[in-house]
Amino acid sequence: MAVDVTYYLVLSAGLFCIGLAGILTRKNALMFLMSVELMLNAANINFVAFSLQWGNLTGQTFALFTMALAAAEVAIGIGIILVLYRNFDDVDVTDATSMRW
Amino acid sequence: MTTRPELRDTSGLLPAVAAVGLFVVMVLAFVGSPIGPATGFPANAETVNESLGDASLQEDASIVEENGSTLAVVQREGGNESTRLANETGVNATIVASGGQLYGVVSEPVSITASIGYAMFGLSDQAPDAVPAENFLALFEMIAVVLVAALIGAVMLARREEAGTVVSLFSTTDDESGATVAADGGSESDEFDGGDA
């Protein structure tokens, strides 16, 4: 028996809002990255849940590609954090207020 | 002055109320929306479907395994009539009555993982019983390019050339000062040891 899709949607909304709260309240760039990951994975839960809902595997396959995209994003994100630390001696995103130093 | 544990300053948490508000709005929208029951994925796919005659014969029809093959046998007045369903035994064979007709059906489980693999490379039409999905070959290539770009970007951002040694992807070149590579995240380097680790 399949779980009703509404539960998946509520779980996904919770995960997304936790990620959003993280982005709104934290200043640490690493916490930013983690919060963005939470929001991306909330989208993935929706993809997989609606894949089951309609009996079509497009959603599940797309979720795989979203994971690959998240990996690319983290690679660039950590590179940016490295540069941020090098130039500002901190990973506080509110320190970097200009495009040059 | 003594130090003691303190609660974290919670004044910065005010924007999180907006996120909680968004959650409440989303949950209200989801719970109130009329979404029907899930279609789900097919558990089995038919590989053989042989007509056996009229549905009134269902009482007399049975699945028999003999001599290494699976047969659907219908007992008629003039003798038994057998229909070969598979050239092996141990398959999932059933007698199904549908639309006034009787069918001998052999089915096997559908592999979701295999179907995803076929969809990812745009080969769904070559799979015998794939679950429906769109063609993702173009997206696969795009993501491959994005991943390569991300790798190059990450290496470019992480490379450092200030503190002594030029470090690039496949070569390492010492400069004249002879100082070592600083791997401490960018603190000031001195003449001898690189950064003050």
Side-chain angles (χ1 to χ4, degrees):
Chain A
M1 189 192 132
V3 179
D4 193 76
V5 76
T6 308
Y7 294 102
Y8 291 114
L9 289 179
V10 171
L11 171 70
S12 159
L15 207 58
F16 183 87
C17 292
I18 290 170
L20 184 65
I23 284 187
L24 290 176
T25 56
R26 296 301 188 117
K27 291 177 178 175
N28 190 322
L30 285 170
M31 288 296 176
F32 260 55
L33 265 189
M34 292 182 201
S35 300
V36 172
E37 285 302 305
L38 283 183
M39 295 167 80
L40 271 170
N41 281 306
N44 271 349
I45 289 176
N46 274 354
F47 275 130
V48 175
F50 276 106
S51 181
L52 181 72
Q53 176 74 13
W54 303 120
N56 188 308
L57 279 180
T58 301
Q60 285 206 28
T61 317
F62 203 91
L64 270 182
F65 288 115
T66 316
M67 287 180 205
L69 205 67
E73 174 237 316
V74 165
I76 294 292
I78 288 183
I80 292 175
I81 291 174
L82 269 177
V83 175
L84 196 69
Y85 185 83
R86 233 178 255 161
N87 293 313
F88 294 96
D89 285 332
D90 202 351
V91 289
D92 188 333
V93 288
T94 57
D95 281 355
T97 52
S98 61
M99 293 290 282
R100 55 190 295 250
W101 43 85
Chain B
M1 180 184 158
T2 56
T3 59
R4 61 194 171 84
E6 288 179 22
L7 288 173
R8 185 164 166 257
D9 180 19
T10 54
S11 61
L13 293 180
L14 195 62
V17 176
V20 175
L22 178 67
F23 176 69
V24 171
V25 171
M26 284 166 114
V27 167
L28 286 178
F30 293 153
V31 170
S33 61
I35 305 174
T39 309
F41 298 118
N44 293 294
E46 293 179 2
T47 55
V48 177
N49 191 336
E50 296 282 351
S51 178
L52 302 177
D54 196 73
S56 58
L57 296 166
Q58 188 168 17
E59 297 286 315
D60 306 319
S62 59
I63 300 289
V64 176
E65 293 181 349
E66 62 179 25
N67 297 333
S69 58
T70 304
L71 308 169
V73 177
V74 182
Q75 293 173 354
R76 294 177 193 265
E77 289 166 7
N80 288 356
E81 179 187 318
S82 55
T83 307
R84 183 183 297 271
L85 295 179
N87 289 322
E88 56 186 334
T89 56
V91 297
N92 180 21
T94 50
I95 304 286
V96 177
S98 171
Q101 288 285 308
L102 202 61
Y103 299 96
V105 174
V106 178
S107 57
E108 61 184 31
V110 172
S111 170
I112 298 293
T113 315
S115 298
I116 291 176
Y118 280 114
M120 202 188 282
F121 300 105
L123 299 172
S124 291
D125 52 341
Q126 296 189 26
D129 41 67
V131 180
E134 284 169 36
N135 182 348
F136 278 94
L137 184 60
L139 185 60
F140 185 86
E141 295 299 332
M142 282 183 226
I143 294 285
V145 171
V146 167
L147 279 173
V148 171
L151 177 65
I152 294 171
V155 171
M156 187 196 80
L157 286 168
R159 188 190 309 174
R160 49 179 305 141
E161 300 177 2
E162 302 94 22
T165 307
V166 178
V167 181
S168 64
L169 197 51
F170 293 115
S171 66
T172 304
T173 315
D174 285 332
D175 63 6
E176 285 78 17
S177 71
T180 53
V181 180
D184 57 354
S187 52
E188 288 299 315
S189 61
D190 58 36
E191 195 178 341
F192 304 106
D193 336 287
D196 48 0

